[in-house]
Amino acid sequence: MLIREKLVEGFKRGIVVPEGLIAHGRGECFDYLIGESTQPFALRAIEAAVAALLLAKHPVISVNGNTAALVPREVVELAEEVNAKIEVNLFYRTREREEAIAEWLRMHGAREVLGVGEDALATIPELFSERRRVSPRGILVADVVLVPLEDGDRTEALRRMGKTVIAIDLNPLSRTARAANITIVDNVVRAMPLMVEKARELKKKTREELARILESYDNNRVLQEALLHIYKRLQELASSKLTLDL
Ligand code: ATP
């Protein structure tokens, strides 16, 4: 309920669009199937994601309306821990919305927010409309991009540009989940605080140790495990008593 209130508040502030509310509904459905808790496959992806961000030369956290509304403080904290830039990147881009999101992030401690107004003058090849605009100091030159709640087209375009893409997506079957290098199948409100915690822990490791974490990571296996988890959960539920005694 608290999550919905944050989105409604974000909607009133001009940060979240109606389409974002629909996207959230789809996420909630998968969260229900997963059991609304962080599973081991998500923890493994979080570890690999943080290792990739710490090893990156130019890490960027791409922020859309829902992410800004749900986890603004965690975006700022994670950016500080892994030394990443924060860039506003919207599917439905307007100047007012970009600025509302940047202001919201600054209220939560962000020192610099890229991708607002003239700063978003570079373009991602193969994408059309306002979705293709990115900052030449941010996503354009990034080697690792964290895209909580991204759409499939942009994830694929970023991959084709040679970037390592980390997605947070509750749907293990979405194009985003399948196109990303590392997919955290978990709710962004649970995953982001865990990423901040993990960054504080992994910062103490050597680059070799971080590289080993990344080498042993298998995203296909993680997506398979997410589906198996849902499958087993539904199987258990299907063989239990479902009706409520009132
Ligand atoms: P794709 O284009 O990747 O196939 P899609 O068109 O189904 O995805 P979008 O509407 O672009 O999806 O984005 C919504 C995605 O974000 C969905 O996959 C949904 O499960 C996920 N999502 C929504 N809310 C959350 C959340 N709070 N945490 C994690 N994932 C979420």
Side-chain angles (χ1 to χ4, degrees):
M1 268 333 243
L2 205 67
I3 301 178
R4 287 189 185 173
E5 273 166 31
K6 282 187 181 175
L7 286 170
V8 171
E9 165 78 13
F11 180 70
K12 288 181 186 156
R13 283 179 176 271
I15 290 172
V16 172
V17 285
E19 292 81 356
L21 301 179
I22 298 169
H24 183 74
R26 185 147 57 251
E28 274 187 352
C29 172
F30 280 97
D31 211 5
Y32 200 77
L33 297 177
I34 287 167
E36 295 177 304
S37 61
T38 303
Q39 298 299 319
F41 50 80
L43 290 174
R44 283 218 308 285
I46 285 171
E47 185 180 49
V50 171
L53 286 166
L54 286 168
L55 285 170
K57 275 203 188 75
H58 301 290
V60 172
I61 304 177
S62 170
V63 180
N64 65 5
N66 283 27
T67 306
L70 293 175
V71 284
R73 197 170 307 280
E74 289 82 357
V75 164
V76 174
E77 283 176 0
L78 183 62
E80 293 283 326
E81 294 300 333
V82 303
N83 210 8
K85 295 218 179 294
I86 299 173
E87 177 165 342
V88 176
N89 214 279
L90 305 178
F91 197 107
Y92 303 97
R93 194 183 264 281
T94 64
R95 185 68 188 250
E96 294 72 38
R97 202 165 157 237
E98 285 167 14
E99 275 167 9
I101 292 174
E103 177 56 23
W104 182 244
L105 292 169
R106 278 195 291 269
M107 276 167 65
H108 287 86
R111 277 175 284 139
E112 188 186 30
V113 181
L114 302 177
V116 180
E118 283 75 50
D119 183 55
L121 51 78
T123 53
I124 300 180
E126 295 176 49
L127 277 186
F128 302 100
S129 81
E130 293 300 284
R131 286 197 293 158
R132 61 190 297 187
R133 288 175 52 193
V134 290
S135 168
R137 292 188 296 137
I139 291 177
L140 189 74
V141 292
D143 49 351
V144 178
V145 190
L146 169 63
V147 287
L149 323 181
E150 188 54 276
D151 79 284
D153 285 349
R154 293 194 60 228
T155 306
E156 285 181 13
L158 291 172
R159 280 297 307 275
R160 288 204 194 92
M161 287 171 81
K163 303 190 187 297
T164 296
V165 180
I166 302 164
I168 304 177
D169 194 329
L170 279 160
N171 177 4
L173 291 172
S174 78
R175 232 157 17 101
T176 300
R178 298 173 72 186
N181 299 82
I182 300 171
T183 308
I184 301 165
V185 183
D186 198 10
N187 198 316
V188 74
V189 300
R190 293 191 300 268
M192 284 294 286
L194 291 172
M195 289 182 84
V196 174
E197 220 175 274
K198 191 47 92 179
R200 289 183 182 137
E201 180 193 324
L202 291 190
K203 263 165 89 174
K204 298 174 196 138
K205 304 242 181 229
T206 63
R207 289 186 72 81
E208 289 68 32
E209 285 172 312
L210 294 176
R212 269 200 295 279
I213 291 174
L214 263 189
E215 271 159 32
S216 64
Y217 180 77
D218 179 349
N219 208 41
N220 193 49
R221 184 81 207 127
V222 158
L223 293 179
Q224 287 173 338
E225 282 176 21
L227 276 184
L228 265 177
H229 167 76
I230 293 172
Y231 170 71
K232 283 187 193 151
R233 214 174 151 259
L234 290 181
Q235 211 170 32
E236 272 168 32
L237 283 170
S239 51
S240 67
K241 183 173 177 293
L242 293 168
T243 51
L244 301 174
D245 295 320
L246 300 167

